Amino acid sequence: MELEENSPKQNYTEAEKQTIFHGEFMPHINSMYNFAYRLTLDADDAKDLLQDTYLKAYRFIESFQKGTNAKAWLFRILKNSFINDYRKKSKEPSKVDYQEVESYYNSEEVDRQITPDLRVEALKDMIGDEISNALNALDVDFRTVIILCDLEGFKYEEMAKILDIPIGTVRSRLHRARNLLKEKLSEYAKQMGYKTA
Amino acid sequence: MSNPDPSKMKQDCPEKNECLKMLQVILDGEATPEQKEHFLKNHLEECMPCYKNYHLEVAIRQLLKTKCCQDAPQELVDDIKTKVINNLAS
Ligand SMILES: [Zn+2]
Ligand SMILES: [Zn+2]
C-alpha cells in the first residue's frame, strides 16, 4: 500500500497514537465525510468509505509523521481507498475513458468553445441545490479538484501529492473543471429564465 | 477593488482565456506578487470581460462553500471513535 513509501516509520506509544488520532485526525472528519460523500454520491457508501479510511489511518499511523499535514495525508488515503474499493464497482468511466475525456478537454479547441456566459445575478438566485447538483454532475476527476481546491483550500502542490499527478495537470484540470461547472450552471440559469448574452 | 467606470473599459479582451487562467491562479493564492500586482491593478479595472469574470469566479467560490459542505452524521463520528478505541484495546 502507498502509505509506507514516503516517510520512515515512526515509533509511537499507544498514548501518542491516541493523541494523534484524536488531536490531528478527528478534527478533519467533517471535511473527510464531505469528500467521501461527493466522491461516492451515496450516503451509505460515504459512511463505509469514511470508516474504512479512518481505520486504515489508525492502522498505518506510524507512517504519519507528527507535525506534517494530517489533512492532506488523510485525503490521500481516502482518495486511494475510493479508487481501489469503490470506483471499480460504480458506473464511473474507466481510466481509459477518462484519459480520452481529459485529452479532449485539454485541447485549446474546446477551451475556446467553453466560455459559458454566466452572470453573477443568475448565481444569486441559485439558492437551492443547483450548485451542488452541478458539482455532482461533473466527472469524478473534475469534481475532485474543485472539492480539494475550492471547498478545502488545498494548495496546488498538496493536490498534486493527494492525487499523484503533476502540478501542471492539477492546474489544467482545475481550469477545465471550472469551465465545465460554469457550463452546468449556465444551463440552470437558462432554465431559470436568465438570458445568456 | 474600486468601482471602475464601465465607459472607460475595454469591452473585449484579446487574451480572455489566458487572463481567466491567471485570475484563477490569483484567487487560488498561487500567483506571485508581481503577477497579482500586474493583473489586479493594471488589467482588471480596464477590461470589462475580465472584470466580470473576476466577480463570477468569486461568486461561484462563495456559492460552493455555502452550499456544498455537509458535516458527518454524529452517529458515524461516534462509531468511528468507538471502533478505534476497541482497536486500541485489542
Ligand atoms: Zn482582459
Ligand atoms: Zn491580461
Side-chain angles (χ1 to χ4, degrees):
Chain A
M1 198 176 152
E2 80 288 344
L3 288 171
E4 303 97 36
E5 77 196 16
N6 315 343
S7 52
K9 251 189 160 193
Q10 310 292 305
N11 247 318
Y12 297 130
T13 64
E14 289 306 310
E16 278 176 317
K17 285 185 190 174
Q18 281 221 48
T19 309
I20 292 170
F21 191 84
H22 291 283
E24 300 204 46
F25 295 176
M26 287 309 281
H28 303 295
I29 196 138
N30 287 328
S31 292
M32 289 279 283
Y33 175 76
N34 197 48
F35 188 34
Y37 180 73
R38 297 274 163 195
L39 286 177
T40 59
L41 301 178
D42 179 276
D44 287 328
D45 284 347
K47 262 187 198 175
D48 291 343
L49 178 56
L50 187 71
Q51 200 156 67
D52 289 352
T53 303
Y54 267 87
L55 293 181
K56 219 176 263 178
Y58 181 72
R59 213 171 334 124
F60 290 92
I61 203 162
E62 297 197 316
S63 313
F64 172 74
Q65 218 176 332
K66 256 198 284 188
T68 60
N69 190 336
K71 186 176 175 182
W73 191 78
L74 291 168
F75 267 69
R76 185 158 184 267
I77 301 176
L78 194 146
K79 175 231 103 194
N80 285 335
S81 298
F82 171 70
I83 288 175
N84 295 329
D85 304 336
Y86 292 84
R87 196 170 177 170
K88 279 183 210 132
K89 292 190 286 194
S90 68
K91 307 183 290 275
E92 295 290 352
S94 69
K95 205 74 204 158
V96 181
D97 292 339
Y98 170 65
Q99 271 158 6
E100 279 167 25
V101 170
E102 184 152 67
S103 60
Y104 171 75
Y105 283 113
N106 272 331
S107 64
E108 285 299 315
E109 190 75 20
V110 171
D111 231 16
R112 244 171 281 123
Q113 280 172 31
I114 307 176
T115 39
D117 215 333
L118 179 66
R119 301 172 56 172
V120 177
E121 297 80 65
L123 285 182
K124 294 217 166 102
D125 283 343
M126 294 186 184
I127 51 175
D129 295 332
E130 295 90 350
I131 183 95
S132 181
N133 293 341
L135 179 62
N136 291 352
L138 297 183
D139 179 89
V140 68
D141 292 279
F142 292 120
R143 205 189 310 148
T144 300
V145 288
I146 291 198
I147 296 165
L148 296 181
C149 190
D150 294 344
L151 297 182
E152 301 302 337
F154 282 113
K155 308 311 283 177
Y156 294 166
E157 204 187 328
E158 294 167 333
M159 292 172 68
K161 283 186 191 147
I162 293 169
L163 301 174
D164 298 302
I165 53 176
I167 288 194
T169 309
V170 169
R171 204 179 294 129
S172 62
R173 198 178 287 179
L174 202 45
H175 181 69
R176 313 302 145 179
R178 287 172 173 148
N179 275 346
L180 292 167
L181 185 70
K182 280 183 219 168
E183 211 179 41
K184 294 270 175 220
L185 290 174
S186 54
E187 282 168 27
Y188 292 132
K190 256 184 228 155
Q191 286 163 19
M192 290 162 74
Y194 281 95
K195 286 196 190 83
T196 47
Chain B
M1 191 172 22
S2 58
N3 262 332
D5 176 358
S7 66
K8 292 190 183 127
M9 292 171 89
K10 282 187 296 169
Q11 299 303 309
D12 244 348
C13 184
E15 288 170 339
K16 197 171 160 186
N17 200 45
E18 282 314 304
C19 285
L20 179 58
K21 283 182 186 164
M22 176 51 64
L23 187 51
Q24 291 175 342
V25 171
I26 290 171
L27 289 172
D28 292 341
E30 303 270 355
T32 65
E34 293 76 32
Q35 287 174 319
K36 263 166 96 169
E37 168 93 8
H38 164 79
F39 192 81
L40 295 178
K41 286 206 177 144
N42 301 335
H43 185 89
L44 204 56
E45 301 203 349
E46 295 165 2
C47 182
M48 194 47 122
C50 292
Y51 183 77
K52 279 186 179 166
N53 267 337
Y54 174 85
H55 288 279
L56 188 64
E57 287 288 319
V58 171
I60 290 176
R61 280 156 209 251
Q62 278 169 354
L63 201 57
L64 280 167
K65 277 207 173 137
T66 50
K67 294 282 178 190
C68 297
C69 294
Q70 59 205 50
D71 285 354
Q74 190 55 44
E75 221 187 284
L76 178 60
V77 176
D78 295 340
D79 210 33
I80 288 174
K81 281 186 188 161
T82 312
K83 286 215 166 99
V84 165
I85 288 165
N86 289 342
N87 208 310
L88 275 171
S90 63

